[in-house]
Amino acid sequence: MEWVRMQGTGTLSAFTCIAVGPPVMRQEGYGRAHPYCTGVVELDEGCRVVARIEEVNTNDPETITIGTPLTVMFLHRGEGPDKTTYLAFRPAERGNVLL
């Protein structure tokens, strides 16, 4: 096994919007009135990862489209020794990918 640098781009291949989540998500303000999205992202290199999908309308899941181009983002929560980083993706235009 070895580390491989990925481009951080891919496409959405599956997703779900979650309205009843674990305590950590409720602490971030997610719930029935404000669901969050988790999805399977097929990276351009061919492998798949599961991550949060940000900047999509989770109150209207019909607007979220399979095949949407995505770019990586990292969510940082907490401070000091309690700081945690989560993998996430957001919609992006292929010609203007921000990493």
Side-chain angles (χ1 to χ4, degrees):
M1 185 182 277
E2 65 183 77
W3 286 99
V4 176
R5 182 177 294 268
M6 302 289 186
Q7 293 179 37
T9 54
T11 56
L12 185 63
S13 61
F15 73 93
T16 187
C17 294
I18 303 169
V20 180
V24 69
M25 297 306 287
R26 288 195 307 267
Q27 289 173 356
E28 286 191 37
Y30 294 102
R32 292 186 191 276
H34 182 57
Y36 65 97
C37 184
T38 296
V40 177
V41 180
E42 183 165 349
L43 298 175
D44 290 343
E45 291 82 5
C47 59
R48 292 180 177 192
V49 296
V50 175
R52 287 209 357 219
I53 309 301
E54 296 288 302
E55 301 177 18
V56 294
N57 186 353
T58 56
N59 286 312
D60 188 7
E62 289 82 18
T63 62
I64 304 171
T65 307
I66 300 298
T68 297
L70 302 171
T71 188
V72 72
M73 63 186 295
F74 298 96
L75 305 174
H76 305 286
R77 302 293 187 258
E79 295 182 22
D82 295 326
K83 186 174 182 177
T84 304
T85 301
Y86 298 97
L87 178 66
F89 285 82
R90 66 177 173 233
E93 294 184 28
R94 291 288 182 189
N96 188 21
V97 176
L98 303 174
L99 298 178

